[in-house]
Each structure stands twice: as structure tokens, then as C-alpha cells.
Amino acid sequence: MEMSKNKKVFAVLSGKGGTGKTLLSVNLSAVCNESVYIDCDVEEPNGHLFFKPANVYEEEVTVKIPTLNSNLCTGCRKCADLCNFSAIAIVNKKPLIFEEVCHSCGGCVLLCEAKALYEKDKAIGKVQSGTSDNVTVKTGILNTGEASGIPIIKKLLKDILKSNKITFIDCPPGSACIVMESIKDADYCILVAEPTIFGSHNLKMIYELVKLFNKPCGVVLNKCIDADNPSERFCNENNIKIIGKIPFDTELGTLNSDAEIASRKSEKYQEMFSSMLEKIIKETDA
Amino acid sequence: MKIAIPAEDKSMDKNVYVSFGRAPYFLLYDTKTKECEYLDNSAVLNQGGAGIRAAQVIADNGVKALITPRCGENAEKVLSSAQVFIYKSIDGTIKENIDAFCAEKLSLLTDIHPGFHGNEQK
């Protein structure tokens, strides 16, 4: 397919995990001539398991955490009073800092007249970049136990608007802040939904989210069987474009559980995902 | 000596509250003067760090011993830095716990939990 005029950014999201975000975004990336795949599911990134990228370059992601120079501290308590997250307690007239509670706002350091607080870098994870044939594969990895993956997503998506390749963002599941951060710069959102009542409820949640962000969107119905599909009903009732349907089939499931990229292994799936790609590109050109 | 107990209501005849950081009130009790005072726990609605804030209040009020059914690790860090001893409460009312404390029948709380961090159990 000719992609030269398309440098669009597509975010793939779903209301819960295991719906098929990675299946879809990996395969859509793979059927492009040239693309960037960005795994923003930083708590459990798994797109790299399919792409097995080569020439991986890794960078650490850090946040700023206050540190105390005890000799300068006057015990004024301004830092603790300011902190909305109670990341600082004052005991024996000195701050006690709870790094894992800190949200790195930097307010305490700004407010410290005695300059007893200064910032140090704390590593919270890393971003990796590598290649898998036609796809640039970027992965965010949050260290276990860290509170927020948002700084990692910010780093992953920093240069996204400068990219001259079509980009797919594999979002974290759900509709929380971390998903909002992931879709912020997307031109179009692709919502993946399961054919159950629970699935349609999750679809509704993310549909409301993308509407709030004024993002155009379409739905891919995954795990489709020959039966009533509550998610499809939701799309029809709300006039939401259905980009495509992925069947609930053993061959696809097997390829996927073997960490193979279905569209690279089978012509049938190559055609299926290519036709979805064509549709979303048409949607964004319109 | 000043002691503190998490309380659901402003009454000594009620049971000790199930957790520390999210308790609605803290009873401050002076074992010498038998005076008591209830503090509103401002941390009860905190999104996070409730244990730290609650422990700060306890430390700021010159409390020397806290009687609680459980305590998270962040609160424990503040309390131990402030030399506040943490005792494990027994089943029963606040009054019964105070009596047990005065009779030296309470033991120190040793199983500090890693905290609920936004997943508070009711």
C-alpha cells in the first residue's frame, strides 16, 4: 500500500485488558510499508514479544524527587504543609520524605527558603527502541512498584508529531489518566471491543473518553462469533463506525499465543488487517 | 502519658476503628489526668498518604503510644521516627483497650502491613 501522504497517529484502546489492543496494533503496524509501533502499556508491555525487535536502544526514564540537606533545614514545615500527597512528614523538626508517594511536582523544593531541599533523579523505568523489518518498535517499561507510568509515556510520545511515518499507539487498558496521556496527540482512536455485555460496557467507557477528547474514532469488534454482539449493537445505536470484525478463530489464536504476527504469517490475516488499515486511513483522510 | 486510638465515633464505648490512617477520629487520652479529646482525622479523605498524614497528627500531639488493630509501613516509619510506640488493640471497646493498656496487658504491634495505597478495605 502507498502510504506517502499518511503520517497519521492512531491510538488503539480498550476498556479492559485482553480485548485485543496489542493484536490489532501489532498487525496494523506490520501491514504498513513503514510504521512506528509504540507500546504505552508500560505496566505490562508485550508488543515486543511479537516484533522481537533488533538493534534495541535503551534509555532510562527518571523523575525528580526531593532530597534533604539536613544541615540547612530550619524545620519550618512549609514543604510538608504544601504537599497534597503527604509525601513529607515532619518528625523531630526535620522532613521525612516518602519517595514512592511523591508525585514530582517540585513544589517543596521551590518553597524551601533555606534551600535545604534539592532535587535528585530517581529512575522509574525505561524506554526501548528497535526495529522489526518495516516497523520501528518503541516500548515503555515501568519499574515494578512505581505509582505512575505517565513520565514514561511522555518520553515515548515526545517526538510523535515530528514522525514522518504512520504511528500506532498501543494504549494501556481502561480509561484512566495514563490512557488520556496516550491518546492526547492521536489523530484517530481505534476502540477494540469484545462481543459481550461486559465488553459493551467497557466500550462505552472509552467511547465517552474519546468523545471528551474530541477524537474521531471507529471500532474493531474482536472475538466475533455467530451470535448477538452487544458491542456491535452499541455501535449501531450510537452511529459509531465499525472498522472491521476479527473472528474468534483457532488459527489466529494459535498464531497469537505462539507470539507470531498473524499478518506476517498468513495471507488471510494479511488481507484482513490491510483492509482495516485502508478503512482507517480513509476515515482520517475524509 | 498521652495515648491515641483510632475511633469510629466520639465515644469510648464504641469499638476501636478497623484501621489507622482512614479512621474518622482519633481519641487522645492522657493516662495521668484521664482527660480525653477527639481529633478529626483530616486524612480520612486523602487520596493517598493517609497513614503518613495521620501519623503526623499523632506525632504533633505529643502522643507516646498508639493503640491500633493495624498500621501501614509508611505510618509506622513516621511513628517510629517520632518515638511513638504502636500497640495492638484487642477486640472490644476503646475503654476496654485503655484499661488493658494501663494494666500493661497490650503487646506491641509487629505485623506492619505494606499499606493499601488507594485500595482501602472497608
Side-chain angles (χ1 to χ4, degrees), chain B residues 48-94:
Chain B
I52 299 170
R53 185 151 298 179
Q56 176 83 68
V57 171
I58 299 301
D60 288 348
N61 277 279
V63 169
K64 294 285 171 244
L66 170 71
I67 302 170
T68 177
R70 51 190 187 184
C71 180
E73 59 186 4
N74 286 344
E76 191 274 338
K77 200 169 158 193
V78 176
L79 294 167
S80 64
S81 305
Q83 276 107 42
V84 179
F85 289 101
I86 309 168
Y87 289 86
K88 184 158 178 59
S89 61
I90 50 169
D91 286 343
T93 64
I94 290 174

Side-chain angles (χ1 to χ4, degrees), chain A residues 115-182:
Chain A
K115 304 222 178 309
L117 290 176
Y118 58 98
E119 286 179 323
K120 71 165 183 207
D121 284 333
K122 179 198 175 198
I124 60 156
K126 55 195 176 186
V127 293
Q128 293 177 335
S129 181
T131 52
S132 166
D133 297 343
N134 52 332
V135 184
T136 303
V137 179
K138 295 187 179 201
T139 305
I141 303 164
L142 179 69
N143 291 345
T144 307
E146 288 302 332
S148 169
I150 285 179
I152 297 193
I153 291 174
K154 282 203 159 114
K155 178 120 183 173
L156 279 171
L157 302 181
K158 194 169 58 108
D159 297 322
I160 194 174
L161 297 174
K162 286 186 225 152
S163 170
N164 56 3
K165 295 176 192 167
I166 187 166
T167 300
F168 290 92
I169 301 171
D170 191 354
C171 294
S175 50
C177 313
I178 195 161
V179 179
M180 301 185 208
E181 192 68 39
S182 305

Side-chain angles (χ1 to χ4, degrees), chain A residues 36-50:
Chain A
V36 182
Y37 165 86
I38 306 180
D39 201 340
C40 285
D41 191 3
V42 299
E43 286 180 31
E44 48 239 325
N46 59 349
H48 65 98
L49 299 176
F50 296 92

